[in-house]
Amino acid sequence: MPNVPSLFWPVLAAVILLLSGCSDSSDSGSETQAGAPGYPETWRFALEEIEGSVQHAYAKAFQTRIQEVSDGNIEVEVFPYGSLGTSTQLTELTRNGSVNLAFASPGHLANQVPETGLFNLHFVLPEDEAQTRRLLQSPALLAEFDQPYRDAGLQLLSLVPEGWMAWTANKPLRTPQDFVDLRIRTMTADMAAAAYRAYGAQPVQTPYAQVYSDLQLHKIHAQTNPVFAIEEMGFHEVQSTLTLPRASRFISSVIANPAWFESLDEREQEWLATTIRDLSGKAWEIETELNRDRLELMVERGDLEVIRLSDAERQAFREASLGTRDTYIEKTGEHGRALLELVLASEPAVDTSQ
Ligand code: 6CS
């Protein structure tokens, strides 16, 4: 398993809190001119994943692109998972300005931004990739999330795809019946757990760094993550079977500290917007390549038995999942209902999962 220091994070987080509010040039306000004293300026970008991950590849591409568009005036310091804290702690470090930018995944974030629980639901996003791309990049959808993030003290910059969620266990998971009483680890948000409770499972909500040891010690029986993450976190070492259900995609979000974001001058805003826009297609390339390569690697090495669910098998899960849409609406009210309708309306005319 990768080296992910875990339980001493609070100490490290306290150190970071002392740096609160600082980017390396603390005067990133509207007075600063590109090329003027104060540049190059360093922006801190915290990741929920280790080096070699989708988030890491995205952050490195971000680092390169913003350096290009800003003519070297902006540099980015990337903090991979393990250096600062859990996902929830990273969100807090962003909110209080200790870091400028971070990834925040709905699997954890939905407890603070309930609307993002939409991405924890199964069989809701379109199955078609092109359609999902259009949806995630659509200004209309991003605008709907803007205020909920603001209400939680965060600035949403982008929604980033990381691939289909896969299930690992020590048995195939072909039917909802196979989930009954299964202790499956989910991310910490209640909506992430609800999606599996709907199948009869007993979800266990824990931070990412705890998953490997909990599997090893048989505290949990199963977990769910995209293929690239399963390989790089070593979950295949402690699980026998990988089930590919195409029930939900792992969608993350890039967030910023709102006060810092508003302090950027016009040119800095433009550099940031250009970089985010340029990476929106790149993110799909990154996740496709990493997920494909890591699956091939695990198959070649014979790490796991791989099971792809048929459309008929998926249909049973689809039906079992429908009640969680009501749970989502209970947590989010009319705004959540409207968001759900917006996303469902973008389903393909011919639903291939039927
Ligand atoms: O399972 C998790 O908690 C994590 N999985 C991934 C692929 N990214 C971040 C998240 O925290």
Side-chain angles (χ1 to χ4, degrees):
M1 143 192 218
N3 186 16
V4 184
S6 54
L7 298 173
F8 49 86
W9 283 330
V11 179
L12 211 42
V15 173
I16 294 297
L17 286 173
L18 292 174
L19 301 173
S20 182
C22 305
S23 54
D24 277 357
S25 164
S26 53
D27 57 345
S28 63
S30 55
E31 302 300 305
T32 314
Q33 293 297 310
Y39 286 111
E41 185 174 300
T42 303
W43 295 356
R44 298 193 179 104
F45 193 166
L47 313 184
E48 300 169 294
E49 294 169 6
I50 61 173
E51 287 185 27
S53 62
V54 168
Q55 291 185 7
H56 188 249
Y58 181 99
K60 297 306 274 182
F62 182 99
Q63 189 179 47
T64 304
R65 190 71 191 122
I66 200 137
Q67 213 165 3
E68 285 165 1
V69 300
S70 72
D71 210 10
N73 282 304
I74 303 298
E75 293 176 353
V76 176
E77 189 175 2
V78 176
F79 294 89
Y81 190 60
S83 52
L84 296 181
T86 64
S87 295
T88 306
Q89 288 167 335
L90 297 184
T91 300
E92 182 50 35
L93 292 176
T94 312
R95 189 182 288 118
N96 73 25
S98 298
V99 298
N100 311 107
L101 302 156
F103 269 95
S105 294
H108 300 288
L109 188 65
N111 280 352
Q112 298 168 59
V113 184
E115 279 86 345
T116 64
L118 183 73
F119 299 116
N120 301 142
L121 297 174
H122 293 189
F123 301 98
V124 162
L125 284 181
E127 199 187 337
D128 181 68
E129 181 180 312
Q131 217 170 344
T132 310
R133 282 172 86 135
R134 269 200 308 278
L135 184 68
L136 295 184
Q137 291 167 9
S138 85
L141 187 74
L142 285 170
E144 290 295 335
F145 281 106
D146 197 54
Q147 193 56 45
Y149 273 74
R150 283 266 160 178
D151 292 344
L154 303 166
Q155 174 67 46
L156 172 65
L157 297 182
S158 188
L159 295 170
V160 177
E162 299 200 22
W164 287 109
M165 290 294 263
W167 301 331
T168 66
N170 288 321
K171 63 178 188 179
L173 297 170
R174 288 191 181 278
T175 69
Q177 193 58 33
D178 294 327
F179 276 85
V180 173
D181 294 336
L182 188 79
R183 286 173 62 78
I184 183 167
R185 179 270 174 176
T186 68
M187 287 178 272
T188 52
D190 294 340
M191 269 316 301
Y196 290 91
R197 208 168 283 117
Y199 301 150
Q202 290 178 21
V204 181
Q205 298 156 247
T206 56
Y208 200 27
Q210 204 180 313
V211 182
Y212 186 97
S213 56
D214 280 0
L215 287 170
Q216 196 175 31
L217 298 172
H218 306 293
K219 289 185 176 173
I220 51 173
H221 308 126
Q223 70 80 43
T224 172
N225 253 305
V227 166
F228 81 86
I230 290 164
E231 197 281 331
E232 74 190 10
M233 295 298 281
F235 300 153
H236 60 279
E237 295 167 5
V238 282
Q239 297 268 266
S240 71
T241 314
L242 177 79
T243 301
L244 301 172
R246 282 176 297 125
S248 63
R249 295 176 188 270
F250 188 110
I251 307 298
S252 193
S253 62
V254 179
I255 56 170
N257 171 270
W260 170 81
F261 180 75
E262 276 154 24
S263 79
L264 299 177
D265 67 26
E266 218 173 283
R267 290 184 70 183
E268 292 166 334
Q269 288 272 2
E270 183 55 36
W271 296 335
L272 179 58
T274 304
T275 302
I276 292 284
R277 195 179 52 239
D278 290 354
L279 292 190
S280 62
K282 176 84 182 159
W284 284 93
E285 287 169 30
I286 293 171
E287 74 86 352
T288 303
E289 192 181 316
L290 275 187
N291 282 304
R292 186 196 53 223
D293 293 355
R294 303 274 169 90
L295 183 60
E296 277 173 19
L297 188 64
M298 288 195 290
V299 168
E300 251 171 52
R301 290 193 307 226
D303 289 337
L304 290 152
E305 181 187 6
V306 177
I307 289 169
R308 293 173 197 274
L309 296 194
S310 67
D311 283 344
E313 287 168 325
R314 294 174 64 235
Q315 180 60 15
F317 284 104
R318 182 182 225 280
E319 281 162 18
S321 76
L322 293 176
T324 55
R325 298 180 185 185
D326 296 332
T327 310
Y328 175 70
I329 293 168
E330 279 161 26
K331 288 180 184 293
T332 55
E334 284 312 307
H335 189 227
R337 185 193 297 279
L339 263 169
L340 183 59
E341 281 168 6
L342 181 78
V343 168
L344 290 174
S346 74
E347 273 188 319
V350 180
D351 186 345
T352 52
S353 69
Q354 298 299 313

